[in-house]
Amino acid sequence: MSNASLSPLPSTDRPDVTARLRDALLGASFTADGLLELLGAPAYAALSRSETVPALRATRGDTPLELLVRLFLLQQPVPHARVGGVLPVDACLESGWLDRAGGDEVAATVDVRPYGGPGGEDWFIVSDLGCAVGGAGGIGNHAEGVVLGVGGASTTLAGLTVRTPVSAALDLGTGSGIQALHAAAHATRVTATDVNPRALHIAALTLALSGAPAADLREGSLYEPVADDETYDLIVSNPPFVISPGARLTYRDGGMGGDDLCRSLVQQTGERLNEGGFAHFLANWQHVEGEDWTDRLRSWVPRGCDAWIVQREVQDVTQYAELWLRDAGDHRGDPAEYQARYDAWLDEFEARKVKAVGFGWITLRRTGAAEPSVVAEEWPHPVEQPLGETVRAHFDRVDYLRAHDDAALLEAHFTLSGEVVQEQVGLPGAEDPEHVVLRQNRGMRRATRVDTVGAGFAGVCDGTMSAGRILDAIAQLVGEDPVALRDRTPAQIRLLVEQGFLEPA
């Protein structure tokens, strides 16, 4: 299906109409909280699964909010006369937010999804019809230039991003403008790029309808529209990272072979970041026969950058191909065509000796350190979003540990981080546990095994005594040579600090 099949978009040249529309939406409680209250949790959750029947059943009344949900979220035409008391209908028709449907009804030309900002803001994400509900799975047609709404990847990236006041932020592959909208809340200037001009138009609508400042919107792939001398304090990207044969769908297929798009994006970022600046990416990467995936990802990290790479999921090549074939709706089409496309994916992977595909997060921070820190780890376990503060704290600890050798660690004072609990594992009735586990209940929710010395050390860290003095007291208690204990424990202290169980006092 070509771009010509996509509906005309509302005008970006009528800020007065957009402001009136925003006021009307807010006045009717067409917000994330209002939507949850109206629909109830089960129907609200069903929307994320592309299921609209519960929401349609919950909006059979005639209240302003029910009309707006049917109109902008569920793509149902509503009576012109009834919605005239809720919206500036004639102005919305003139500026393209609405279109006539039949004799006495109007329909939305775009989907509008209420979206709650991290500070309680009432925002609205604009997307193509069929894209506000359920992300990619909710698309009824896959026109080449279709622009998606809010999906799990979008909210994951938004939650990962370090949110501190910055001068300049860059959103690469902005899509419907979700990351640019978040950045506008704490950046003086926001630039957003996209290869799809329709996406830039929709991003402008998202920002305007959300009451956010306009962004500098530039057409082009990734860094192409950015001048060589332009640098930023924050860079974010939810790129078209799907590893696929060909480039059928603009929103997900980057058009480069294998994971080259993600690799080139990460490698080009170092020179674009200001000192201390952060870059956050979602990415897919290949697991190639005979190669450790962590070595592959480490080779992507540009010079002068610390990196934290977290692999959240791994799928074998058959699972991966099936996921994205279903995303495109190919499983509902001609079986022979589906099989041919499936074969093409597996042929591509076989040619590249790819056995699986990893998905995860990549965070870079520009540093002047002589030896940058690169941490690559697998963490498929549940985490607590938003993680932006956890990410920032990780790099603060990197700085601290880089500046403190073992002798300095023994002179330092530490406190046990909040929400850390201790678990003892062993046979019932045994005098001593087989092992002790420290577990976090916040952020990454890590768990780490420690010996009895490590558990005792962590338990008395309240900032009043130096690490060395605590170890001396433990040595006296257990009858161990204090010098030997001081020699072997700093590595364990360093690990506990690195993973966030202990904090410098």
Side-chain angles (χ1 to χ4, degrees), residues 379-414:
W379 191 254
H381 312 293
V383 298
E384 181 190 43
Q385 283 275 33
L387 276 170
E389 183 59 25
T390 299
V391 173
R392 186 199 59 76
H394 166 88
F395 288 94
D396 286 348
R397 295 193 297 270
V398 166
D399 285 341
Y400 179 85
L401 292 172
R402 195 155 42 201
H404 289 72
D405 60 15
D406 287 355
L409 282 183
L410 293 174
E411 293 297 320
H413 295 237
F414 299 96

PDB file of all heavy atoms in Angstrom, residues 379-414:
ATOM      1  N   TRP A 379      20.325  -8.972  31.535  1.00  0.00           N
ATOM      2  CA  TRP A 379      19.433  -8.808  32.671  1.00  0.00           C
ATOM      3  C   TRP A 379      17.989  -8.930  32.189  1.00  0.00           C
ATOM      4  O   TRP A 379      17.323  -7.952  31.875  1.00  0.00           O
ATOM      5  CB  TRP A 379      19.653  -7.465  33.368  1.00  0.00           C
ATOM      6  CG  TRP A 379      18.940  -7.381  34.683  1.00  0.00           C
ATOM      7  CD1 TRP A 379      17.820  -6.676  34.977  1.00  0.00           C
ATOM      8  CD2 TRP A 379      19.301  -8.073  35.895  1.00  0.00           C
ATOM      9  NE1 TRP A 379      17.440  -6.870  36.284  1.00  0.00           N
ATOM     10  CE2 TRP A 379      18.340  -7.731  36.874  1.00  0.00           C
ATOM     11  CE3 TRP A 379      20.320  -8.953  36.229  1.00  0.00           C
ATOM     12  CZ2 TRP A 379      18.395  -8.238  38.179  1.00  0.00           C
ATOM     13  CZ3 TRP A 379      20.370  -9.450  37.522  1.00  0.00           C
ATOM     14  CH2 TRP A 379      19.423  -9.092  38.477  1.00  0.00           C
ATOM     15  N   PRO A 380      17.475 -10.181  32.098  1.00  0.00           N
ATOM     16  CA  PRO A 380      16.117 -10.401  31.586  1.00  0.00           C
ATOM     17  C   PRO A 380      15.036 -10.280  32.654  1.00  0.00           C
ATOM     18  O   PRO A 380      13.864 -10.508  32.372  1.00  0.00           O
ATOM     19  CB  PRO A 380      16.193 -11.835  31.049  1.00  0.00           C
ATOM     20  CG  PRO A 380      17.181 -12.504  31.956  1.00  0.00           C
ATOM     21  CD  PRO A 380      18.192 -11.441  32.330  1.00  0.00           C
ATOM     22  N   HIS A 381      15.421  -9.911  33.880  1.00  0.00           N
ATOM     23  CA  HIS A 381      14.503  -9.930  35.009  1.00  0.00           C
ATOM     24  C   HIS A 381      13.678  -8.634  35.093  1.00  0.00           C
ATOM     25  O   HIS A 381      14.046  -7.610  34.500  1.00  0.00           O
ATOM     26  CB  HIS A 381      15.287 -10.153  36.296  1.00  0.00           C
ATOM     27  CG  HIS A 381      16.265 -11.289  36.206  1.00  0.00           C
ATOM     28  ND1 HIS A 381      15.863 -12.598  36.068  1.00  0.00           N
ATOM     29  CD2 HIS A 381      17.628 -11.302  36.192  1.00  0.00           C
ATOM     30  CE1 HIS A 381      16.925 -13.379  35.990  1.00  0.00           C
ATOM     31  NE2 HIS A 381      18.005 -12.619  36.062  1.00  0.00           N
ATOM     32  N   PRO A 382      12.587  -8.651  35.838  1.00  0.00           N
ATOM     33  CA  PRO A 382      11.769  -7.435  35.967  1.00  0.00           C
ATOM     34  C   PRO A 382      12.549  -6.280  36.584  1.00  0.00           C
ATOM     35  O   PRO A 382      13.407  -6.486  37.463  1.00  0.00           O
ATOM     36  CB  PRO A 382      10.625  -7.880  36.896  1.00  0.00           C
ATOM     37  CG  PRO A 382      10.557  -9.365  36.738  1.00  0.00           C
ATOM     38  CD  PRO A 382      11.973  -9.812  36.511  1.00  0.00           C
ATOM     39  N   VAL A 383      12.277  -5.071  36.124  1.00  0.00           N
ATOM     40  CA  VAL A 383      12.887  -3.860  36.657  1.00  0.00           C
ATOM     41  C   VAL A 383      11.770  -2.882  37.005  1.00  0.00           C
ATOM     42  O   VAL A 383      10.611  -3.081  36.646  1.00  0.00           O
ATOM     43  CB  VAL A 383      13.866  -3.214  35.649  1.00  0.00           C
ATOM     44  CG1 VAL A 383      15.000  -4.152  35.329  1.00  0.00           C
ATOM     45  CG2 VAL A 383      13.130  -2.797  34.379  1.00  0.00           C
ATOM     46  N   GLU A 384      12.131  -1.831  37.711  1.00  0.00           N
ATOM     47  CA  GLU A 384      11.150  -0.824  38.101  1.00  0.00           C
ATOM     48  C   GLU A 384      11.379   0.447  37.281  1.00  0.00           C
ATOM     49  O   GLU A 384      12.372   1.142  37.453  1.00  0.00           O
ATOM     50  CB  GLU A 384      11.278  -0.509  39.595  1.00  0.00           C
ATOM     51  CG  GLU A 384      10.264   0.512  40.073  1.00  0.00           C
ATOM     52  CD  GLU A 384      10.556   1.005  41.486  1.00  0.00           C
ATOM     53  OE1 GLU A 384      11.733   1.272  41.794  1.00  0.00           O
ATOM     54  OE2 GLU A 384       9.611   1.127  42.271  1.00  0.00           O
ATOM     55  N   GLN A 385      10.440   0.727  36.379  1.00  0.00           N
ATOM     56  CA  GLN A 385      10.510   1.967  35.616  1.00  0.00           C
ATOM     57  C   GLN A 385       9.793   3.085  36.376  1.00  0.00           C
ATOM     58  O   GLN A 385       8.865   2.811  37.133  1.00  0.00           O
ATOM     59  CB  GLN A 385       9.845   1.770  34.246  1.00  0.00           C
ATOM     60  CG  GLN A 385      10.702   1.013  33.247  1.00  0.00           C
ATOM     61  CD  GLN A 385      11.667   1.927  32.503  1.00  0.00           C
ATOM     62  OE1 GLN A 385      12.155   2.926  33.040  1.00  0.00           O
ATOM     63  NE2 GLN A 385      11.948   1.594  31.259  1.00  0.00           N
ATOM     64  N   PRO A 386      10.189   4.356  36.203  1.00  0.00           N
ATOM     65  CA  PRO A 386      11.268   4.802  35.324  1.00  0.00           C
ATOM     66  C   PRO A 386      12.652   4.539  35.919  1.00  0.00           C
ATOM     67  O   PRO A 386      12.829   4.568  37.129  1.00  0.00           O
ATOM     68  CB  PRO A 386      11.006   6.308  35.197  1.00  0.00           C
ATOM     69  CG  PRO A 386      10.312   6.685  36.466  1.00  0.00           C
ATOM     70  CD  PRO A 386       9.470   5.492  36.837  1.00  0.00           C
ATOM     71  N   LEU A 387      13.617   4.311  35.023  1.00  0.00           N
ATOM     72  CA  LEU A 387      14.971   3.942  35.425  1.00  0.00           C
ATOM     73  C   LEU A 387      15.982   5.063  35.217  1.00  0.00           C
ATOM     74  O   LEU A 387      17.175   4.852  35.414  1.00  0.00           O
ATOM     75  CB  LEU A 387      15.432   2.710  34.637  1.00  0.00           C
ATOM     76  CG  LEU A 387      15.009   1.340  35.169  1.00  0.00           C
ATOM     77  CD1 LEU A 387      15.324   0.264  34.144  1.00  0.00           C
ATOM     78  CD2 LEU A 387      15.702   1.024  36.487  1.00  0.00           C
ATOM     79  N   GLY A 388      15.526   6.219  34.790  1.00  0.00           N
ATOM     80  CA  GLY A 388      16.468   7.295  34.480  1.00  0.00           C
ATOM     81  C   GLY A 388      17.396   7.631  35.627  1.00  0.00           C
ATOM     82  O   GLY A 388      18.609   7.805  35.442  1.00  0.00           O
ATOM     83  N   GLU A 389      16.859   7.708  36.849  1.00  0.00           N
ATOM     84  CA  GLU A 389      17.696   8.014  37.999  1.00  0.00           C
ATOM     85  C   GLU A 389      18.655   6.873  38.300  1.00  0.00           C
ATOM     86  O   GLU A 389      19.803   7.086  38.704  1.00  0.00           O
ATOM     87  CB  GLU A 389      16.810   8.314  39.214  1.00  0.00           C
ATOM     88  CG  GLU A 389      17.567   8.720  40.464  1.00  0.00           C
ATOM     89  CD  GLU A 389      18.427   9.962  40.279  1.00  0.00           C
ATOM     90  OE1 GLU A 389      18.113  10.791  39.396  1.00  0.00           O
ATOM     91  OE2 GLU A 389      19.431  10.107  41.023  1.00  0.00           O
ATOM     92  N   THR A 390      18.217   5.636  38.081  1.00  0.00           N
ATOM     93  CA  THR A 390      19.087   4.465  38.263  1.00  0.00           C
ATOM     94  C   THR A 390      20.239   4.500  37.266  1.00  0.00           C
ATOM     95  O   THR A 390      21.383   4.181  37.604  1.00  0.00           O
ATOM     96  CB  THR A 390      18.270   3.171  38.085  1.00  0.00           C
ATOM     97  OG1 THR A 390      17.242   3.134  39.068  1.00  0.00           O
ATOM     98  CG2 THR A 390      19.149   1.941  38.195  1.00  0.00           C
ATOM     99  N   VAL A 391      19.939   4.894  36.019  1.00  0.00           N
ATOM    100  CA  VAL A 391      20.988   4.999  34.995  1.00  0.00           C
ATOM    101  C   VAL A 391      21.997   6.081  35.373  1.00  0.00           C
ATOM    102  O   VAL A 391      23.215   5.875  35.301  1.00  0.00           O
ATOM    103  CB  VAL A 391      20.360   5.297  33.621  1.00  0.00           C
ATOM    104  CG1 VAL A 391      21.440   5.588  32.589  1.00  0.00           C
ATOM    105  CG2 VAL A 391      19.499   4.121  33.164  1.00  0.00           C
ATOM    106  N   ARG A 392      21.502   7.244  35.787  1.00  0.00           N
ATOM    107  CA  ARG A 392      22.409   8.322  36.184  1.00  0.00           C
ATOM    108  C   ARG A 392      23.295   7.877  37.340  1.00  0.00           C
ATOM    109  O   ARG A 392      24.513   8.116  37.349  1.00  0.00           O
ATOM    110  CB  ARG A 392      21.602   9.566  36.581  1.00  0.00           C
ATOM    111  CG  ARG A 392      22.460  10.790  36.884  1.00  0.00           C
ATOM    112  CD  ARG A 392      21.705  11.821  37.701  1.00  0.00           C
ATOM    113  NE  ARG A 392      21.241  11.277  38.974  1.00  0.00           N
ATOM    114  CZ  ARG A 392      22.028  11.064  40.018  1.00  0.00           C
ATOM    115  NH1 ARG A 392      23.332  11.342  39.954  1.00  0.00           N
ATOM    116  NH2 ARG A 392      21.538  10.574  41.126  1.00  0.00           N
ATOM    117  N   ALA A 393      22.695   7.183  38.339  1.00  0.00           N
ATOM    118  CA  ALA A 393      23.455   6.737  39.504  1.00  0.00           C
ATOM    119  C   ALA A 393      24.523   5.719  39.112  1.00  0.00           C
ATOM    120  O   ALA A 393      25.606   5.676  39.713  1.00  0.00           O
ATOM    121  CB  ALA A 393      22.509   6.148  40.545  1.00  0.00           C
ATOM    122  N   HIS A 394      24.234   4.881  38.114  1.00  0.00           N
ATOM    123  CA  HIS A 394      25.233   3.910  37.642  1.00  0.00           C
ATOM    124  C   HIS A 394      26.502   4.623  37.203  1.00  0.00           C
ATOM    125  O   HIS A 394      27.621   4.214  37.568  1.00  0.00           O
ATOM    126  CB  HIS A 394      24.659   3.099  36.483  1.00  0.00           C
ATOM    127  CG  HIS A 394      25.693   2.315  35.719  1.00  0.00           C
ATOM    128  ND1 HIS A 394      26.071   1.037  36.070  1.00  0.00           N
ATOM    129  CD2 HIS A 394      26.436   2.634  34.623  1.00  0.00           C
ATOM    130  CE1 HIS A 394      27.009   0.610  35.246  1.00  0.00           C
ATOM    131  NE2 HIS A 394      27.242   1.546  34.343  1.00  0.00           N
ATOM    132  N   PHE A 395      26.347   5.670  36.419  1.00  0.00           N
ATOM    133  CA  PHE A 395      27.526   6.368  35.911  1.00  0.00           C
ATOM    134  C   PHE A 395      28.209   7.198  36.997  1.00  0.00           C
ATOM    135  O   PHE A 395      29.430   7.381  36.959  1.00  0.00           O
ATOM    136  CB  PHE A 395      27.143   7.219  34.703  1.00  0.00           C
ATOM    137  CG  PHE A 395      26.852   6.391  33.475  1.00  0.00           C
ATOM    138  CD1 PHE A 395      25.554   6.009  33.161  1.00  0.00           C
ATOM    139  CD2 PHE A 395      27.883   5.960  32.656  1.00  0.00           C
ATOM    140  CE1 PHE A 395      25.287   5.225  32.048  1.00  0.00           C
ATOM    141  CE2 PHE A 395      27.635   5.170  31.545  1.00  0.00           C
ATOM    142  CZ  PHE A 395      26.328   4.795  31.241  1.00  0.00           C
ATOM    143  N   ASP A 396      27.449   7.675  37.975  1.00  0.00           N
ATOM    144  CA  ASP A 396      28.084   8.328  39.129  1.00  0.00           C
ATOM    145  C   ASP A 396      28.978   7.341  39.865  1.00  0.00           C
ATOM    146  O   ASP A 396      30.091   7.691  40.300  1.00  0.00           O
ATOM    147  CB  ASP A 396      27.013   8.874  40.080  1.00  0.00           C
ATOM    148  CG  ASP A 396      26.333  10.126  39.558  1.00  0.00           C
ATOM    149  OD1 ASP A 396      26.832  10.708  38.567  1.00  0.00           O
ATOM    150  OD2 ASP A 396      25.301  10.523  40.136  1.00  0.00           O
ATOM    151  N   ARG A 397      28.511   6.115  40.015  1.00  0.00           N
ATOM    152  CA  ARG A 397      29.323   5.099  40.700  1.00  0.00           C
ATOM    153  C   ARG A 397      30.548   4.730  39.874  1.00  0.00           C
ATOM    154  O   ARG A 397      31.625   4.442  40.424  1.00  0.00           O
ATOM    155  CB  ARG A 397      28.475   3.861  40.994  1.00  0.00           C
ATOM    156  CG  ARG A 397      27.350   4.105  41.983  1.00  0.00           C
ATOM    157  CD  ARG A 397      26.749   2.796  42.481  1.00  0.00           C
ATOM    158  NE  ARG A 397      26.141   2.019  41.416  1.00  0.00           N
ATOM    159  CZ  ARG A 397      24.875   2.121  41.036  1.00  0.00           C
ATOM    160  NH1 ARG A 397      24.079   2.997  41.630  1.00  0.00           N
ATOM    161  NH2 ARG A 397      24.387   1.354  40.080  1.00  0.00           N
ATOM    162  N   VAL A 398      30.397   4.716  38.542  1.00  0.00           N
ATOM    163  CA  VAL A 398      31.555   4.483  37.671  1.00  0.00           C
ATOM    164  C   VAL A 398      32.634   5.529  37.944  1.00  0.00           C
ATOM    165  O   VAL A 398      33.823   5.205  38.088  1.00  0.00           O
ATOM    166  CB  VAL A 398      31.129   4.512  36.186  1.00  0.00           C
ATOM    167  CG1 VAL A 398      32.355   4.625  35.275  1.00  0.00           C
ATOM    168  CG2 VAL A 398      30.331   3.259  35.836  1.00  0.00           C
ATOM    169  N   ASP A 399      32.230   6.791  38.042  1.00  0.00           N
ATOM    170  CA  ASP A 399      33.187   7.862  38.333  1.00  0.00           C
ATOM    171  C   ASP A 399      33.851   7.658  39.690  1.00  0.00           C
ATOM    172  O   ASP A 399      35.071   7.838  39.842  1.00  0.00           O
ATOM    173  CB  ASP A 399      32.468   9.222  38.322  1.00  0.00           C
ATOM    174  CG  ASP A 399      32.130   9.699  36.921  1.00  0.00           C
ATOM    175  OD1 ASP A 399      32.731   9.195  35.951  1.00  0.00           O
ATOM    176  OD2 ASP A 399      31.247  10.565  36.789  1.00  0.00           O
ATOM    177  N   TYR A 400      33.035   7.296  40.670  1.00  0.00           N
ATOM    178  CA  TYR A 400      33.566   7.116  42.025  1.00  0.00           C
ATOM    179  C   TYR A 400      34.597   5.992  42.059  1.00  0.00           C
ATOM    180  O   TYR A 400      35.696   6.160  42.603  1.00  0.00           O
ATOM    181  CB  TYR A 400      32.422   6.815  42.997  1.00  0.00           C
ATOM    182  CG  TYR A 400      32.880   6.596  44.414  1.00  0.00           C
ATOM    183  CD1 TYR A 400      33.065   7.674  45.276  1.00  0.00           C
ATOM    184  CD2 TYR A 400      33.157   5.317  44.884  1.00  0.00           C
ATOM    185  CE1 TYR A 400      33.513   7.469  46.579  1.00  0.00           C
ATOM    186  CE2 TYR A 400      33.603   5.098  46.176  1.00  0.00           C
ATOM    187  CZ  TYR A 400      33.781   6.186  47.014  1.00  0.00           C
ATOM    188  OH  TYR A 400      34.234   5.987  48.297  1.00  0.00           O
ATOM    189  N   LEU A 401      34.260   4.852  41.490  1.00  0.00           N
ATOM    190  CA  LEU A 401      35.170   3.710  41.531  1.00  0.00           C
ATOM    191  C   LEU A 401      36.433   3.958  40.710  1.00  0.00           C
ATOM    192  O   LEU A 401      37.513   3.479  41.055  1.00  0.00           O
ATOM    193  CB  LEU A 401      34.453   2.456  41.035  1.00  0.00           C
ATOM    194  CG  LEU A 401      33.339   1.944  41.952  1.00  0.00           C
ATOM    195  CD1 LEU A 401      32.565   0.817  41.292  1.00  0.00           C
ATOM    196  CD2 LEU A 401      33.920   1.467  43.294  1.00  0.00           C
ATOM    197  N   ARG A 402      36.308   4.722  39.639  1.00  0.00           N
ATOM    198  CA  ARG A 402      37.472   5.048  38.815  1.00  0.00           C
ATOM    199  C   ARG A 402      38.441   5.933  39.599  1.00  0.00           C
ATOM    200  O   ARG A 402      39.658   5.878  39.379  1.00  0.00           O
ATOM    201  CB  ARG A 402      36.990   5.752  37.543  1.00  0.00           C
ATOM    202  CG  ARG A 402      38.004   5.832  36.436  1.00  0.00           C
ATOM    203  CD  ARG A 402      37.358   5.945  35.077  1.00  0.00           C
ATOM    204  NE  ARG A 402      36.218   6.844  35.008  1.00  0.00           N
ATOM    205  CZ  ARG A 402      35.269   6.797  34.059  1.00  0.00           C
ATOM    206  NH1 ARG A 402      35.338   5.896  33.095  1.00  0.00           N
ATOM    207  NH2 ARG A 402      34.267   7.635  34.054  1.00  0.00           N
ATOM    208  N   ALA A 403      37.907   6.721  40.511  1.00  0.00           N
ATOM    209  CA  ALA A 403      38.743   7.662  41.266  1.00  0.00           C
ATOM    210  C   ALA A 403      39.269   7.081  42.574  1.00  0.00           C
ATOM    211  O   ALA A 403      40.033   7.745  43.277  1.00  0.00           O
ATOM    212  CB  ALA A 403      37.947   8.932  41.559  1.00  0.00           C
ATOM    213  N   HIS A 404      38.842   5.853  42.931  1.00  0.00           N
ATOM    214  CA  HIS A 404      39.237   5.274  44.209  1.00  0.00           C
ATOM    215  C   HIS A 404      39.871   3.905  43.989  1.00  0.00           C
ATOM    216  O   HIS A 404      39.197   2.966  43.548  1.00  0.00           O
ATOM    217  CB  HIS A 404      38.028   5.129  45.136  1.00  0.00           C
ATOM    218  CG  HIS A 404      37.493   6.431  45.653  1.00  0.00           C
ATOM    219  ND1 HIS A 404      36.795   7.318  44.855  1.00  0.00           N
ATOM    220  CD2 HIS A 404      37.569   7.001  46.892  1.00  0.00           C
ATOM    221  CE1 HIS A 404      36.451   8.374  45.579  1.00  0.00           C
ATOM    222  NE2 HIS A 404      36.912   8.206  46.815  1.00  0.00           N
ATOM    223  N   ASP A 405      41.166   3.801  44.308  1.00  0.00           N
ATOM    224  CA  ASP A 405      41.812   2.488  44.274  1.00  0.00           C
ATOM    225  C   ASP A 405      41.442   1.735  45.548  1.00  0.00           C
ATOM    226  O   ASP A 405      40.678   2.234  46.392  1.00  0.00           O
ATOM    227  CB  ASP A 405      43.318   2.617  44.099  1.00  0.00           C
ATOM    228  CG  ASP A 405      43.990   3.413  45.219  1.00  0.00           C
ATOM    229  OD1 ASP A 405      43.353   3.628  46.276  1.00  0.00           O
ATOM    230  OD2 ASP A 405      45.157   3.814  45.034  1.00  0.00           O
ATOM    231  N   ASP A 406      41.982   0.530  45.717  1.00  0.00           N
ATOM    232  CA  ASP A 406      41.597  -0.287  46.862  1.00  0.00           C
ATOM    233  C   ASP A 406      41.927   0.388  48.186  1.00  0.00           C
ATOM    234  O   ASP A 406      41.142   0.319  49.144  1.00  0.00           O
ATOM    235  CB  ASP A 406      42.289  -1.655  46.785  1.00  0.00           C
ATOM    236  CG  ASP A 406      41.687  -2.541  45.699  1.00  0.00           C
ATOM    237  OD1 ASP A 406      40.681  -2.122  45.091  1.00  0.00           O
ATOM    238  OD2 ASP A 406      42.229  -3.646  45.465  1.00  0.00           O
ATOM    239  N   ALA A 407      43.071   1.043  48.262  1.00  0.00           N
ATOM    240  CA  ALA A 407      43.446   1.720  49.509  1.00  0.00           C
ATOM    241  C   ALA A 407      42.446   2.822  49.833  1.00  0.00           C
ATOM    242  O   ALA A 407      42.046   3.008  50.990  1.00  0.00           O
ATOM    243  CB  ALA A 407      44.857   2.297  49.390  1.00  0.00           C
ATOM    244  N   ALA A 408      42.028   3.564  48.826  1.00  0.00           N
ATOM    245  CA  ALA A 408      41.062   4.646  49.042  1.00  0.00           C
ATOM    246  C   ALA A 408      39.700   4.092  49.440  1.00  0.00           C
ATOM    247  O   ALA A 408      38.987   4.696  50.253  1.00  0.00           O
ATOM    248  CB  ALA A 408      40.938   5.500  47.777  1.00  0.00           C
ATOM    249  N   LEU A 409      39.316   2.934  48.884  1.00  0.00           N
ATOM    250  CA  LEU A 409      38.043   2.321  49.267  1.00  0.00           C
ATOM    251  C   LEU A 409      38.035   1.969  50.758  1.00  0.00           C
ATOM    252  O   LEU A 409      37.025   2.146  51.444  1.00  0.00           O
ATOM    253  CB  LEU A 409      37.786   1.052  48.452  1.00  0.00           C
ATOM    254  CG  LEU A 409      37.285   1.201  47.013  1.00  0.00           C
ATOM    255  CD1 LEU A 409      37.027  -0.177  46.410  1.00  0.00           C
ATOM    256  CD2 LEU A 409      36.015   2.035  46.946  1.00  0.00           C
ATOM    257  N   LEU A 410      39.181   1.477  51.277  1.00  0.00           N
ATOM    258  CA  LEU A 410      39.244   1.102  52.682  1.00  0.00           C
ATOM    259  C   LEU A 410      39.168   2.323  53.598  1.00  0.00           C
ATOM    260  O   LEU A 410      38.735   2.198  54.753  1.00  0.00           O
ATOM    261  CB  LEU A 410      40.526   0.317  52.957  1.00  0.00           C
ATOM    262  CG  LEU A 410      40.598  -1.070  52.297  1.00  0.00           C
ATOM    263  CD1 LEU A 410      41.962  -1.697  52.519  1.00  0.00           C
ATOM    264  CD2 LEU A 410      39.491  -1.973  52.828  1.00  0.00           C
ATOM    265  N   GLU A 411      39.542   3.479  53.104  1.00  0.00           N
ATOM    266  CA  GLU A 411      39.442   4.714  53.898  1.00  0.00           C
ATOM    267  C   GLU A 411      38.059   5.344  53.799  1.00  0.00           C
ATOM    268  O   GLU A 411      37.707   6.222  54.588  1.00  0.00           O
ATOM    269  CB  GLU A 411      40.492   5.727  53.414  1.00  0.00           C
ATOM    270  CG  GLU A 411      41.930   5.315  53.679  1.00  0.00           C
ATOM    271  CD  GLU A 411      42.217   5.202  55.174  1.00  0.00           C
ATOM    272  OE1 GLU A 411      41.724   6.064  55.943  1.00  0.00           O
ATOM    273  OE2 GLU A 411      42.910   4.243  55.567  1.00  0.00           O
ATOM    274  N   ALA A 412      37.256   4.913  52.826  1.00  0.00           N
ATOM    275  CA  ALA A 412      35.964   5.542  52.555  1.00  0.00           C
ATOM    276  C   ALA A 412      34.879   5.034  53.503  1.00  0.00           C
ATOM    277  O   ALA A 412      35.014   3.990  54.144  1.00  0.00           O
ATOM    278  CB  ALA A 412      35.553   5.281  51.109  1.00  0.00           C
ATOM    279  N   HIS A 413      33.807   5.811  53.580  1.00  0.00           N
ATOM    280  CA  HIS A 413      32.641   5.456  54.384  1.00  0.00           C
ATOM    281  C   HIS A 413      31.477   5.151  53.442  1.00  0.00           C
ATOM    282  O   HIS A 413      31.279   5.844  52.438  1.00  0.00           O
ATOM    283  CB  HIS A 413      32.260   6.614  55.315  1.00  0.00           C
ATOM    284  CG  HIS A 413      33.300   6.925  56.349  1.00  0.00           C
ATOM    285  ND1 HIS A 413      33.032   6.914  57.705  1.00  0.00           N
ATOM    286  CD2 HIS A 413      34.618   7.239  56.240  1.00  0.00           C
ATOM    287  CE1 HIS A 413      34.136   7.230  58.373  1.00  0.00           C
ATOM    288  NE2 HIS A 413      35.116   7.433  57.500  1.00  0.00           N
ATOM    289  N   PHE A 414      30.675   4.148  53.794  1.00  0.00           N
ATOM    290  CA  PHE A 414      29.567   3.738  52.931  1.00  0.00           C
ATOM    291  C   PHE A 414      28.287   3.573  53.738  1.00  0.00           C
ATOM    292  O   PHE A 414      28.316   3.361  54.958  1.00  0.00           O
ATOM    293  CB  PHE A 414      29.885   2.404  52.226  1.00  0.00           C
ATOM    294  CG  PHE A 414      31.081   2.453  51.334  1.00  0.00           C
ATOM    295  CD1 PHE A 414      32.334   2.041  51.785  1.00  0.00           C
ATOM    296  CD2 PHE A 414      30.980   2.954  50.037  1.00  0.00           C
ATOM    297  CE1 PHE A 414      33.444   2.099  50.964  1.00  0.00           C
ATOM    298  CE2 PHE A 414      32.083   3.009  49.212  1.00  0.00           C
ATOM    299  CZ  PHE A 414      33.322   2.584  49.675  1.00  0.00           C
TER     300      PHE A 414
END
